Each structure stands twice: as C-alpha cells, then as structure tokens.
Amino acid sequence: MRLFSPQQLAQNAFCPQDYEQLAESYLEKGLFAYLSGGSGQEHSLADNRKAFHEIQLNSRLLNDVSKGSSELTLFNQTLAAPILLAPVAYQSLVDPQGEIATAQAAKTSGIGSVVSTLSSQSLEKVAQAAPPCKLFQLYLQNDDAANQALINRAVEAGYQAIMITLDTSVQSVSLKARRLGFVLHQQVEAVNLRDYDHNQNPTGKTLFQGLMAQAPNWQSLGNWIKQSPIPVWVKGVMHPDDAIQLKQMGVTGIVVSNHGGRALDNSPSPLRVLPAIRKAVGKDFTILMDSGIRDGYDVFKALAMGANAVMLGRLQIYALAVGGAVGVAHMLKLLIEELHLCMALTGCKNLTDIRADKLFIQPTQIQQSL
Ligand SMILES: Cc1cc2nc3c(=O)[nH]c(=O)nc-3n(C[C@H](O)[C@H](O)[C@H](O)COP(=O)(O)O)c2cc1C
C-alpha cells in the first residue's frame, strides 16, 4: 500500500520495521526480492539479524537522564542522532524522486546521508537537497579519468567526503529476485556515469581475467587517497588488519559492513567483527557500521559494540517505497524515538554513556571478542 499523508503513515507504521511489511505488500514481488535479498544462500543476510538478537540490554535504575541527547558531531556538523542514510543504488525503482526524496528526509531529520555512484538522480541534484553532512559513495571505475571526474564533481557539488566501497568488486543479485525473473538492467540507468565508459567487463572474460584484473588494489586506493582534495572513507571493512592498513594509509574513517549481506555470502555479521576492529584502530578513529539495523535498539547495540554511528540501507528504501520523503522522515522519527527510549531505560544520558557494560551477552556468545 502506498501511503502519502502523515496521518496515513502514522496509522499504519508504528515502528521502523513496519515499513518492511508495508513495502512487501505494495511492491512487485521481483523488485521486493531484489531489495530485500542477499547474495548466495543468504547466510550473511540471516546472520546480520541473528547477531543483533543474540545481544540483550542491561536495564539500569535511577540515573538522571533528564537532559539526555543523542547528538553527535561528525564533519563539524551536529547530527540529531548517530545515523546516516547508506548509499542505496537506483532509488527511482521505488519512487520517482528517488535519492532527492531520501536526501530531503535526512535533512529534515537532522542526520547525514551518503549518495551512491549508482544513484538514479545526478549527484549534483541530490547535493542540493541533502543535509550539511553529505558524502559521495564511489565505486572505482576502470577508467582513471572517470574516477577523477567523479571526485571533482563531488567536491564541486559540496560533498564533505568520498566514501569508496571496496567489498563488491563482484556482485551477485539475489537468487530469489532472479528466480522471479527480475532483471535490474532493464529498469535503471546510472545517470552519474552517463558520460563515461562504465561497462566493467566489456569482453565477457572470466572472473579472474576480467573483473578482478581491473579491480582496485592497495596501490590504486593509495593514489586516490592522495589525490582526493576531500577526506576519503572506505566502506566494506570486515577485518582488523585491513582496518589498520587503511588507517595507516590516511583514510578518515571506515564503515564496517558486509553490504547488508549482498557481498561475500558466509561472511559474519559486521556486529561480530566490530569489537576487534575497534580494538585494532583505537578509540579515536571514526567507525560507522551497517548491515541488519532495523530499530533503535540495534543502533544502541552497534554503538555499545564500538561504532560511532550507523547507516541504514533497507529501512530507508522500504520507507521511501511506502511513503516517499515523508515516509523516510517518519521512519527516522520512530527510529530515533526508540533509540531515546533505549538510552533512557539503560541510564544513558548521551552517546558516550553507551558502552559495552550496557549490554547483556550470554557468556558463550560474542563476549570473547569484547
Ligand atoms: C537495494 C540496495 C542497493 C545498494 N546499493 C549500494 C550502492 O550503490 N553502494 C554501496 O556502497 N552500497 C549499496 N548497498 C549497501 C548499503 O549501502 C548498506 O551497506 C546495506 O544496505 C546495509 O544493510 P541493511 O540494508 O541491512 O541496512 C545497497 C543495498 C541495497 C539493499
């Protein structure tokens, strides 16, 4: 069901996850499978939720939280909550305004947003609607001139940083979507790449001789870090050694992410590797985390496990499909209210109070990594 007015939204969505059910009932089956699905047999997709369920919270009494706040300063901007909208490709699949609508919702809600290389609205148009805390997500192209041009355009348009995604040199569309006959390329255009040759595998060569022969490596990443006039982030980090190397190379921050279970299947939930990565890079290095966040409690858990902030992928696209920009803003309102409730009942006045001692973890589970 597509909902438009704030009243309709308030009568049908009572928590952020309600948007998933509403989107499923409204969207065509193949499209919903493409959005909701993961790669391979979806083991990572399942673990992204399981890891959050394995952690519980310690209720704490009598702390004064009367002047509580979930504000966070990132890029010299104050965010109302430690949340950014993740880069999600081709948003016009679910809403004609696409990335412009999600950027508007992020701005209204006082959070940050990241626009994808594969956005269906141009990065320049999205920048005009976006909040002050805005990043451009870059999929490095085979053509250096195209990469340079994309970085220049992002700087010109006022993005504060480049977020390079490195976990999907090879990407596989959900098997469920394929079985339902969903074909992405017939429905979308990567408008940002219109002027460049962006066929990643023109000769149809095998994986190692084709895609992987052109994939970025440590050296090419190093060059882009040096050449970028604005800070560079890396998205898709899942190992402490990679995190250490990236920090040494000069990236400003990392996103611990398995691409919402859409990259390497059988990789663990990012929540499980987050504490070891935090330990490796130290407390002052900025870490974002995504994959599997569906409510305010999950945001709290991610922060307590070591993230400075989180990003939302599917929640954003479901809310966009159901209610456009107003839907995304409503979903964010519900999510931030849940985070506040969770902070109040665990006795956390601000984000720095959200630490591992607020978590109750069954001894046999994730505790060893803390
Ligand atoms: C439909 C869809 C498209 C995505 N497109 C991109 C993209 O263009 N670039 C990127 O870095 N990540 C992309 N992602 C991954 C998200 O940025 C994010 O890592 C992931 O969705 C987080 O998991 P969640 O959906 O469980 O919140 C996409 C995810 C989905 C579901």
Side-chain angles (χ1 to χ4, degrees):
M1 180 179 23
R2 178 97 205 212
L3 305 170
F4 291 100
S5 72
Q7 290 82 348
Q8 283 177 317
L9 292 165
Q11 284 161 10
N12 288 275
F14 301 94
C15 68
Q17 267 191 290
D18 284 347
Y19 277 101
E20 178 162 4
Q21 277 83 55
L22 292 165
E24 186 168 12
S25 68
Y26 163 67
L27 292 171
E28 183 269 316
K29 272 191 174 19
L31 174 55
F32 183 76
Y34 162 73
L35 299 170
S36 61
S39 54
Q41 298 301 322
E42 303 192 331
H43 295 301
S44 296
L45 183 72
D47 196 49
N48 288 351
R49 293 298 303 133
K50 188 165 174 273
F52 279 107
H53 290 313
E54 283 176 12
I55 298 174
Q56 291 158 314
L57 302 174
N58 289 322
S59 167
R60 298 301 306 271
L61 307 177
L62 300 174
N63 286 345
D64 176 11
V65 294
S66 56
K67 293 198 177 77
S69 159
S70 61
E71 283 185 356
L72 172 78
T73 304
L74 201 64
F75 294 113
N76 299 321
Q77 308 290 338
T78 303
L79 305 185
I83 299 169
L84 292 88
L85 296 184
V88 170
Y90 305 126
Q91 299 189 9
S92 65
L93 283 168
V94 301
D95 180 280
Q97 287 293 301
E99 294 79 4
I100 292 180
T102 45
Q104 282 168 341
K107 190 174 183 179
T108 314
S109 309
I111 63 157
S113 78
V114 189
V115 65
S116 167
T117 298
L118 304 177
S119 56
S120 34
Q121 298 278 359
S122 76
L123 67 94
E124 287 83 2
K125 275 194 199 154
V126 181
Q128 285 172 20
C133 178
K134 51 175 166 278
L135 289 79
F136 175 66
Q137 178 267 323
L138 178 63
Y139 279 128
L140 286 167
Q141 306 294 303
N142 300 336
D143 173 8
D144 283 354
N147 293 324
Q148 191 62 65
L150 286 164
I151 293 174
N152 292 346
R153 284 172 59 189
V155 174
E156 185 75 11
Y159 288 92
Q160 292 184 293
I162 304 292
M163 180 180 280
I164 301 182
T165 300
L166 291 176
D167 57 6
T168 38
S169 313
V170 187
Q171 206 175 2
S172 50
V173 174
S174 144
L175 291 172
K176 269 189 229 147
R178 283 163 62 192
R179 287 182 189 121
L180 287 163
F182 180 81
V183 185
L184 182 63
H185 298 113
Q186 290 174 354
Q187 315 202 17
V188 292
E189 189 202 351
V191 292
N192 290 325
L193 303 180
R194 229 176 233 169
D195 296 338
Y196 325 116
D197 175 14
H198 59 279
N199 187 346
Q200 299 289 70
N201 194 15
T203 53
K205 288 181 179 164
T206 60
L207 178 62
F208 290 115
Q209 278 80 42
L211 277 178
M212 296 317 288
Q214 300 153 0
N217 55 36
W218 287 106
Q219 196 188 345
S220 59
L221 177 72
N223 292 339
W224 292 118
I225 294 171
K226 282 197 203 98
Q227 282 179 42
S228 174
I230 52 177
V232 171
W233 286 60
V234 166
K235 175 170 181 279
V237 182
M238 287 292 289
H239 197 284
D241 293 350
D242 287 344
I244 290 170
Q245 188 158 348
L246 289 165
K247 183 182 172 191
Q248 286 168 350
M249 286 170 76
V251 306
T252 305
I254 56 173
V255 187
V256 177
S257 165
N258 66 11
H259 217 100
R262 296 165 81 89
L264 172 67
D265 194 23
N266 289 283
S267 67
S269 157
L271 194 68
R272 297 187 195 280
V273 297
L274 182 57
I277 293 179
R278 169 54 75 201
K279 210 177 267 176
V281 296
K283 66 177 174 42
D284 296 327
F285 190 67
T286 309
I287 299 181
L288 306 186
M289 182 264 170
D290 74 22
S291 302
I293 290 175
R294 296 292 180 272
D295 61 31
Y297 300 86
D298 295 342
V299 179
F300 184 98
K301 289 174 188 177
L303 265 53
M305 294 285 275
N308 297 94
V310 301
M311 299 207 300
L312 309 174
R314 291 187 185 77
L315 278 183
Q316 157 194 187
I317 200 80
Y318 296 149
L320 178 67
V322 171
V326 184
V328 181
H330 182 239
M331 178 278 291
L332 288 168
K333 177 178 173 288
L334 295 172
L335 187 85
I336 293 170
E337 281 172 4
E338 277 180 348
L339 172 64
H340 289 175
L341 180 120
C342 189
M343 288 174 69
L345 296 182
T346 52
C348 295
K349 197 171 191 163
N350 51 49
L351 300 184
T352 53
D353 294 337
I354 305 180
R355 293 183 301 262
D357 65 329
K358 301 293 186 298
L359 304 177
F360 179 84
I361 302 175
Q362 302 284 349
T364 53
Q365 295 162 357
I366 306 173
Q367 203 166 33
Q368 283 158 346
S369 57
L370 282 173

